[in-house]
Amino acid sequence: MNRNAAGSPAGHETPSRVDGQRGVLTFPRTVYRDDHEMFRETARRFVERECKPRQQEWDAAGRVDRETWLKAGREGLLCMSLPEEYGGAGGDFGHSAVLTEEFAYAGVVGPAFSLQTDIVAPYILRNGSGEQKRRWLPGCASGEVILAIAMSEPGAGSDLKAIRTTAIRDGDEYVINGAKTFISSGLNSDLVVVVAKTDPTAGAKGVSLVLVETDRPGFRRGRKLDKMGQRAADTAELFFDDVRVPVSNLLGEEGKGFAYLMQELAQERFIIAVGAAARAEAMLFETIAYTKQRQVFGQRLFDFQNTRFKLSEIKARVTAMRMMVDQYLAQHMQRRLTLEEAAIVKLHTTEELSRCLDELLQLHGGYGYMMEYEIARAFVDTRVMRIYGGTSEVMKELISRNL
């Protein structure tokens, strides 16, 4: 993978995925390089071959099988931006964005590859000791180690300062007690980054990050949570009952956990925006195709002016989403995206996606309410985008601080 500065060479234009494949969006995308597009072909083939055929199986099981993780590792689809010394390919965030887009275009839900690559592994890479990085990161890239991060609790979601899980030092060990909920990869995970208070009296300054292996005594997984959408994405409760880990499992410095979380949340929120924009594109195309074959009152649904005007309006909104995401993607590939900008793009794309999908579903009529149609799946699978990574209300609060 090319590790040079982000952006395409002068004169290089990459068509939108939907434009190039389906003829919906009509502007060139210049944010990706040739190596990104080569990676896109690998990602697309993997999604079509290894993931789409297993979607129903994963939905029924409520999780993705381990073999798919290992296959993804063998094809270089995990932790692409890790340095080669830790098993990565030395890529950049552009490769992550490409993979997220391909999953969104295909409507595949379940594999938490982005959680592994873009959210949890960076905490270890940027804050871990040399020993921690050598021990864990190669397995993260190969798919042998599945990561999770345990932030949310039954009484603390977006307000991380209110967490009650503790990691109290006892000699050369931390003793962890508490409960976490809504944990993605909670069932599959081998290693969890636990957000806990090492000093319960210090507020945000008492928050630390501790690595917990899931085979330690006292750790247990709760129930698989029954979600309205994303049924193949395993989400669970986690419990810590006097779980002992060595002090060497502390990630970074004690009391710096809240600061570490703030440093990485911009990327977590932005990757959600990348997926939202791509899903909107895909569903616009699907609805255009549906309206051109659906007959109503003796003519195609597409031939009604109201239908064409509605689709035109949504196309304009989806185009604006894509252009915003590409602008911020170019910035983030150079690590210049701010927390406020990430909040802006997450708020805009996820709220727009929700509105667009509601209107696109309406154009399907009764069939839009049937789960066998992709629009229905998209409607329920993407609703959580306005919640996880920080709710829309939290994004507004962050943006308002600089008004």
Side-chain angles (χ1 to χ4, degrees), residues 270-305:
F270 183 61
I271 199 68
I272 294 170
V274 171
R279 198 72 185 115
E281 292 180 38
M283 288 301 92
L284 173 60
F285 166 76
E286 293 293 337
T287 306
I288 291 171
Y290 175 82
T291 60
K292 286 183 176 180
Q293 59 87 25
R294 173 69 170 156
Q295 295 288 317
V296 180
F297 299 121
Q299 62 179 345
R300 298 184 308 170
L301 181 58
F302 184 82
D303 293 330
F304 289 92
Q305 185 184 67

Side-chain angles (χ1 to χ4, degrees), residues 81-83 86 120-129 133 137 251:
S81 60
L82 286 180
Y86 298 127
V120 191
Y123 283 103
I124 301 175
L125 177 64
R126 285 191 254 279
N127 305 303
S129 66
K133 288 185 278 192
L137 290 179
L251 195 57

Side-chain angles (χ1 to χ4, degrees), residues 13 146-147 179 297 324:
E13 293 183 349
I146 297 179
L147 298 171
F297 299 121
M324 173 185 263

Side-chain angles (χ1 to χ4, degrees), residues 85-103:
E85 64 181 301
Y86 298 127
D92 59 23
F93 186 79
H95 300 97
S96 295
V98 164
L99 184 60
T100 295
E101 287 180 356
E102 289 306 312
F103 273 107

Side-chain angles (χ1 to χ4, degrees), residues 24-82:
V24 177
L25 300 189
T26 55
F27 66 92
R29 302 184 67 186
T30 58
V31 69
Y32 290 122
R33 303 184 302 263
D34 287 339
D35 62 298
H36 293 134
E37 293 305 326
M38 291 174 61
F39 179 73
R40 186 184 298 280
E41 290 303 314
T42 299
R44 186 181 304 168
R45 287 194 299 268
F46 182 86
V47 171
E48 293 293 332
R49 183 184 71 247
E50 302 293 344
C51 300
K52 275 197 108 171
R54 293 182 171 85
Q55 186 69 69
Q56 288 187 339
E57 171 190 333
W58 293 342
D59 287 347
R63 65 202 299 179
V64 174
D65 61 280
R66 300 285 302 222
E67 182 57 32
T68 299
W69 280 87
L70 295 172
K71 288 178 181 178
R74 288 195 290 270
E75 297 217 17
L77 300 180
L78 297 174
C79 302
M80 297 81 69
S81 60
L82 286 180

Side-chain angles (χ1 to χ4, degrees), residues 372-392:
E372 64 192 88
Y373 278 74
E374 192 171 354
I375 188 67
R377 286 185 58 96
F379 188 82
V380 296
D381 284 343
T382 62
R383 179 59 181 83
V384 73
M385 288 183 168
R386 293 164 59 193
I387 299 172
Y388 64 20
T391 65
S392 291

